[in-house]
Amino acid sequence: MRNLSVSGQPAPSLQRKLAGRSLRSALLSGLAWACAVIASVPLFSVLYMLIMRGGSRLNWEVLSELPPAGFELGGGFGNALVGTFVMVGIAALIAIPVGILAGIFLSVLGPGSKLATVARFAAKTLTGLPSILAGVFAYALVVLTTGSYSAPAGGVALAVLMLPIVVLTAEEALKMVPKAMKDAAYGMGCTRTQVIWKIVLPTGMPAVLTGVMLAVARAAGETAPLLFTALFSNYWLFQDGSLELMGPTASLAVLIYNFSGMPFDNQIELAWAASLVLVMIVLVINIVSRIIGRPRF
């Protein structure tokens, strides 16, 4: 029986319950909004400070010229921008294929196997690995082997940091593919390989790309691993028409670290401008990942 009064309206007891629930909902919603605003204050304050301090120096000259010497004026960080893209690109070439293949194995091929359990545990452990240890690993593996700091060494260090993010997000994304779709493909006579390539990967790819973009954003802002692997350089990677990867390579993060501690106003201003560029790169990558991973229904 519905708890209605003679007039057909809800009884007073039900009205009081609805009013209490509405009040609690409004209070909790207000608390959530207040927490969101408080959490966003540091973000917007950092963005405001970077725009005010680094925006005035940002121009094409800064993005296209080499870093200046101590007492020089002008200059820029074009080589550091190129070096960042090159090393993140090398890391992506290593981490993305391996991470997606591992995600396929963990979610489709052998989700309950002992190897999958060990790999899953290792990936989760690597997510908490201090970035400086990834640099030490790449230093021992690449720098000591080749005898030189280099862009590939920096790429290997960044790949170690990207890999667990790609693996875990790929696994979760591919797990979300409806079982009915896979069963229907098997019922039509498709092999396991065809189901993976035609059904599982295309369906889960938006979420996989979201994880990839987040991994790239993390790698772009790392400093400590590059101090052990790529070091820094005041020159372009392209010299005399060839790409010189096997040598010290500049990056935005290391340039910010170096220039922020110098006693020269020009270098400090360049560090602020480079910080703004790096934050904008990471922000754009995160926005793109949100758009890619947005549900299509």
Side-chain angles (χ1 to χ4, degrees):
M1 295 294 292
R2 296 181 62 186
N3 190 11
L4 299 176
S5 63
V6 178
S7 61
Q9 299 297 323
S13 61
L14 182 57
Q15 288 180 339
R16 286 193 296 270
K17 290 181 180 180
L18 292 176
R21 291 179 180 177
S22 299
L23 179 60
R24 285 195 297 271
S25 177
L27 289 176
L28 292 176
S29 298
L31 180 62
W33 275 104
C35 292
V37 171
I38 293 172
S40 65
V41 167
L43 172 63
F44 287 107
S45 63
V46 169
L47 287 176
Y48 175 77
M49 181 172 60
L50 290 175
I51 292 172
M52 295 302 295
R53 298 291 298 270
S56 59
R57 187 64 190 272
L58 201 58
N59 52 48
W60 178 249
E61 175 187 356
V62 167
L63 298 175
S64 60
E65 293 193 0
L66 294 174
F71 293 95
E72 290 182 350
L73 298 178
F77 45 79
N79 64 330
L81 192 61
V82 172
T84 297
F85 287 137
V86 169
M87 286 187 286
V88 172
I90 292 173
L93 289 175
I94 298 172
I96 293 175
V98 175
I100 293 178
L101 290 175
I104 292 173
F105 177 80
L106 294 177
S107 60
V108 181
L109 298 178
S113 63
K114 292 183 179 180
L115 178 59
T117 302
V118 173
R120 198 176 291 113
F121 174 77
K124 292 179 179 178
T125 302
L126 282 175
T127 57
L129 180 74
S131 59
I132 194 170
L133 295 183
V136 173
F137 168 77
Y139 175 82
L141 181 66
V142 183
V143 176
L144 294 182
T145 302
T146 61
S148 175
Y149 298 98
S150 63
V156 169
L158 297 180
V160 173
L161 299 175
M162 290 177 59
L163 185 60
I165 301 175
V166 178
V167 170
L168 296 176
T169 54
E171 179 190 5
E172 293 301 321
L174 299 180
K175 276 183 179 179
M176 292 189 297
V177 178
K179 187 175 182 296
M181 296 178 63
K182 294 183 283 187
D183 290 342
Y186 285 126
M188 295 175 63
C190 295
T191 63
R192 177 179 287 186
T193 302
Q194 290 173 328
V195 171
I196 292 172
W197 284 105
K198 301 295 185 180
I199 303 297
V200 176
L201 277 178
T203 305
M205 190 53 66
V208 172
L209 290 178
T210 299
V212 168
M213 298 297 283
L214 293 176
V216 169
R218 182 191 177 184
E222 288 293 342
T223 305
L226 301 182
L227 292 173
F228 283 86
T229 54
L231 206 59
F232 191 74
S233 172
N234 289 322
Y235 304 100
W236 294 100
L237 281 175
F238 296 92
Q239 296 182 15
D240 299 328
S242 61
L243 184 62
E244 300 291 339
L245 293 179
M246 300 308 298
T249 305
S251 62
L252 286 175
V254 177
L255 180 137
I256 295 167
Y257 173 78
N258 291 338
F259 279 15
S260 61
M262 289 187 175
F264 307 110
D265 291 338
N266 185 42
Q267 274 75 1
I268 293 175
E269 291 175 0
L270 287 175
W272 281 106
S275 300
L276 177 60
V277 171
L278 186 57
V279 167
M280 295 306 297
I281 291 174
V282 174
L283 183 61
V284 168
I285 291 174
N286 278 275
I287 292 174
V288 171
S289 69
R290 292 288 183 178
I291 294 173
I292 292 175
R294 187 172 53 189
R296 299 296 191 269
F297 50 85

